[in-house]
């Protein structure tokens, strides 16, 4: 029995498994040395993700942040409580609609996000340097293409 008949659909199951294995291996290797950087700033990866979203979406609602992060509101409340305690974010009620709770980065939070983003960018640059120019461009084009296609299609 050949690969096509064994898995159907041009061996997509085998390809998916291979892709997932490679993706997670890269993810774990790439995170290994980055994690300690977060602790240097006393920020978790989830807190960094929330702050990065807030940097790109100033003064957004807790609901928008919850939806983007895919978390339960209770989990997000814990994250933003700790960020608020550490002086990285502020929560406040919307003046036009008191039911809405908004959250925004403080100046200190913005500084931390910028520093951590710079560290992450340097890591990505180091990874890309391992590839040839053609490989770099191929990788970027593939991720851009996949992102666009996922946005256009409802994939579960």
């Amino acid at each position: 029995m050949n690969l096509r008949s064994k898995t159907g659909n041009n061996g997509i199951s085998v390809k998916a498994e291979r892709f997932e294995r490679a993706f997670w291996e890269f993810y774990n290797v790439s995170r290994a040395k980055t994690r300690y950087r977060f602790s240097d700033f006393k920020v978790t990866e989830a807190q960094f993700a929330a702050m990065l979203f807030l940097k790109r979406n100033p003064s957004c609602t807790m609901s928008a942040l919850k939806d983007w992060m895919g978390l339960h509101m209770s989990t997000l409340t814990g994250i933003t409580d700790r960020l608020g305690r550490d002086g990285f974010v502020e929560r406040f009620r919307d003046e036009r609609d008191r039911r809405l709770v908004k959250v925004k980065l403080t100046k200190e939070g913005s500084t931390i996000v910028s520093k951590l983003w710079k560290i992450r960018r340097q890591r990505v640059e180091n990874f890309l340097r391992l590839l040839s120019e053609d490989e770099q461009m191929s990788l970027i084009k593939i991720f851009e293409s996949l992102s666009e296609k996922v946005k256009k299609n409802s994939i579960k």
Side-chain angles (χ1 to χ4, degrees), residues 63-80:
S63 293
L65 182 57
K66 172 191 79 73
D67 292 344
W68 181 79
M69 292 188 75
L71 300 172
H72 293 284
M73 188 59 83
S74 59
T75 303
L76 181 60
T77 299
I79 290 169
T80 56

Side-chain angles (χ1 to χ4, degrees), residues 51 55 83 86-90 104-115:
M51 291 193 307
K55 182 139 181 126
L83 287 170
D86 294 337
F88 299 142
V89 301
E90 295 175 348
K104 69 176 186 174
L105 282 178
T106 62
K107 187 175 181 176
E108 184 178 0
S110 184
T111 299
I112 294 296
V113 169
S114 294
K115 287 179 181 177

Side-chain angles (χ1 to χ4, degrees), residues 25-76:
E25 177 68 21
F26 174 76
Y27 178 74
N28 288 324
V29 168
S30 68
R31 284 182 58 216
K33 293 186 180 178
T34 304
R35 263 184 266 156
Y36 78 91
R37 302 278 191 174
F38 287 108
S39 63
D40 288 350
F41 292 94
K42 299 188 177 25
V43 172
T44 66
E45 289 184 54
Q47 289 171 327
F48 172 70
M51 291 193 307
L52 187 58
F53 182 80
L54 292 173
K55 182 139 181 126
R56 294 176 178 165
N57 302 277
S59 192
C60 77
T61 63
M62 287 284 287
S63 293
L65 182 57
K66 172 191 79 73
D67 292 344
W68 181 79
M69 292 188 75
L71 300 172
H72 293 284
M73 188 59 83
S74 59
T75 303
L76 181 60

